Amino acid sequence: MHKLVRHISWRTIRNSSCTREDWIVHQDEETRFDVETVRHVYYHCAAEQQAVAEGKRRYGRIGQGIIYYGINDEIENWVTTLADSIRVADDFGKFRIQFALHEPLIGMHGSFVVASHAVEQATTFDHGMLGSVTEDAYFALVARSLGVTFSHIDARMYEQSPFSIVDFAKQRKRWFAGLWLVAKAPLIPFKYRLGLLLLEIQWGWAPFMLPAALLVLTCKTNTSVGFKLVLALVSAYWCWAYVVGFLFTFSIRKLGVAKYCVLLWLQLVLQPLFALMEVWGVGWALVDREAFKGFHVVDKQSAALKARMEGRDAVQDTEMKPVSEGEESLLEKNAAAHRTDNRTKELTVAN
C-alpha cells in the first residue's frame, strides 16, 4: 500500500500540470484545519515565492506548523491521545527550534508539510527502500542537501492518535526503524544526518535506561547523588513535556472543570504507562528485523469520519444514479406541468 502511494505521488509530481510557483500541502487522511491555518499557510507560500522571485534563494522554504491531537470530538482512545501530548510539546520545542534555525536537524513530520512544486520535483519521494519507511524524514534531508531550508508556520492542524495501544507501539516501531534507515542512508551527506543519528542512538537506549532509572530512583543503590540528580532532572523534563503538551491541547472552557481536572490527573499518573508504551515500540523494532523492511499502516479513520465519508459517497451515488424510463417520464410530466403553471401566471399578470 505504501509503495503504491509513493508511486502515485511520484507520478503525480512528474505528470502534474502545476508550475514551479504552485505549492502543495501534505496531510493525513484525518487531518483537519481552520481558517487561520489557511491564512498562515497562504502567507508562508506568498512570502517564500516572493523571496524566490527576488533571488534571495533558489527554492522556497518548506513550512511546517503545530499538530494537535485530541482537539475534536472523535477521540477513540484517551490513553493514546494523552500519550501523544508529548508530541505537541516536541512541536513547540525541538521542531520549533530547528525550524527557527531553518534546518531539519531531526527531520520533519509527514503531515502539515507545505512545499513548493519546484522542491517536490527536485527532491521527489522515489528513493527506494531506505526512503520508504519514514519518507518524510528522508525527503526533508534530501531537500536540505539540495539547498532547501525550512521555516515554522505559526498555525495548527488537528489529527487523531492511534486507536489502540498496540497500534501506538507499532507506530513507534516504524518511526524508530525508518529513522534509523534514514540516519545511515549513504546518499545523504553525513552532516545532514548527524542530528538524526544522535537522536536515534539516544532513543535506542530507552528500553535499557527506563528500568535502570526506575531501579536507581526507587531502590537503595550505591550510585552517586549526582547521578541520581541527573536522572531526576531527565525524568522531570519528560513529566514537564507531557504537562506542557496537555496544557496547549486541552481547554478547560471546552471540556468543563470536572473533565479537565480528571484528564490532567490521568496525564500525570499514567506517565509510567506512557513511558512503557514508547519503550515497547522501540524495543520491538530492535528485536524485529522485519520492522526495517516495511511497516504497519495505522488506521486513523474514526467511526465518525467513516460515517461522514460513507454519507458523502451515498450522496454521490444518488446524484450519479441512472434514471429509469418511468422516472424520466414522470420528471417530464412534472416539468411540463411546471411550465404550464408558470405560463398561466404570466398571462394572469399580463391581463
Side-chain angles (χ1 to χ4, degrees):
M1 175 178 177
H2 187 62
K3 290 182 179 179
L4 176 60
V5 171
R6 277 201 310 110
H7 183 60
I8 293 174
S9 175
W10 168 231
R11 290 194 57 171
T12 301
I13 293 171
R14 184 177 59 184
N15 300 321
S16 173
S17 60
C18 293
T19 67
R20 291 176 60 86
E21 290 74 29
D22 291 321
W23 287 73
I24 301 168
V25 181
H26 293 264
Q27 305 170 20
D28 285 346
E29 67 272 18
E30 86 281 5
T31 305
R32 291 186 180 185
F33 53 88
D34 52 30
V35 174
E36 285 297 301
T37 308
V38 176
R39 185 165 66 88
H40 285 283
V41 168
Y42 179 83
Y43 176 80
H44 169 83
C45 298
E48 290 304 314
Q49 201 59 46
Q50 181 65 26
V52 172
E54 294 175 355
K56 294 180 179 179
R57 41 186 168 269
R58 183 180 179 184
Y59 296 107
R61 287 173 175 155
I62 295 175
Q64 188 158 75
I66 308 297
I67 300 176
Y68 289 82
Y69 307 88
I71 292 289
N72 57 50
D73 298 325
E74 300 174 6
I75 296 174
E76 297 283 331
N77 190 315
W78 275 106
V79 173
T80 57
T81 300
L82 292 175
D84 269 341
S85 292
I86 198 168
R87 296 178 63 187
V88 180
D90 277 347
D91 280 0
F92 279 101
K94 294 196 291 282
F95 286 92
R96 180 68 179 85
I97 291 172
Q98 71 167 8
F99 292 145
L101 299 173
H102 305 301
E103 296 285 346
L105 300 176
I106 55 175
M108 68 176 184
H109 297 308
S111 183
F112 200 167
V113 179
V114 183
S116 69
H117 189 247
V119 169
E120 301 237 350
Q121 281 186 316
T123 307
T124 82
F125 287 93
D126 192 18
H127 299 288
M129 186 60 212
L130 291 179
S132 296
V133 181
T134 49
E135 76 289 342
D136 41 18
Y138 201 100
F139 178 90
L141 297 188
V142 170
R144 184 64 190 92
S145 69
L146 296 176
V148 182
T149 52
F150 291 70
S151 181
H152 174 75
I153 298 177
D154 189 18
R156 61 185 68 182
M157 288 192 180
Y158 314 98
E159 296 187 355
Q160 293 273 58
S161 296
F163 293 169
S164 70
I165 293 177
V166 174
D167 275 349
F168 183 96
K170 288 180 178 179
Q171 183 187 64
R172 268 47 176 186
K173 178 179 75 168
R174 175 177 71 86
W175 289 351
F176 180 83
L179 291 176
W180 178 252
L181 293 176
V182 177
K184 68 173 190 175
L187 297 180
I188 301 175
F190 180 74
K191 64 180 180 179
Y192 298 121
R193 294 185 281 120
L194 178 58
L196 186 59
L197 180 61
L198 294 176
L199 174 68
E200 279 289 282
I201 293 173
Q202 173 265 328
W203 199 9
W205 279 102
F208 309 100
M209 292 300 297
L210 179 62
L214 292 175
L215 287 174
V216 169
L217 294 175
T218 58
C219 302
K220 186 176 181 179
T221 63
N222 295 327
T223 53
S224 66
V225 176
F227 183 71
K228 290 183 178 180
L229 179 60
V230 171
L231 286 178
L233 290 174
V234 172
S235 300
Y237 164 78
W238 288 110
C239 293
W240 169 82
Y242 278 111
V243 173
V244 166
F246 178 90
L247 296 177
F248 274 114
T249 301
F250 299 104
S251 168
I252 193 170
R253 182 174 56 183
K254 181 178 179 180
L255 294 176
V257 175
K259 188 174 183 179
Y260 184 89
C261 291
V262 170
L263 289 175
L264 179 58
W265 179 76
L266 290 173
Q267 185 73 81
L268 293 170
V269 301
L270 291 180
Q271 287 188 23
L273 173 61
F274 302 154
L276 289 174
M277 291 161 58
E278 297 280 356
V279 166
W280 178 16
V282 177
W284 196 351
L286 291 175
V287 299
D288 183 8
R289 301 303 303 174
E290 294 299 317
F292 298 87
K293 301 177 182 179
F295 64 90
H296 170 75
V297 178
V298 176
D299 182 14
K300 286 189 178 182
Q301 293 189 7
S302 64
L305 177 60
K306 290 178 179 178
R308 287 200 305 272
M309 294 178 66
E310 290 173 358
R312 182 191 63 190
D313 293 341
V315 171
Q316 291 176 347
D317 290 343
T318 301
E319 293 174 348
M320 298 176 63
K321 182 180 177 181
V323 179
S324 65
E325 293 182 1
E327 290 173 330
E328 186 175 1
S329 176
L330 181 61
L331 288 173
E332 290 177 354
K333 290 181 180 178
N334 290 335
H338 182 69
R339 289 194 296 269
T340 302
D341 184 55
N342 286 341
R343 179 58 179 167
T344 303
K345 291 179 180 179
E346 290 174 0
L347 292 173
T348 303
V349 171
N351 292 330

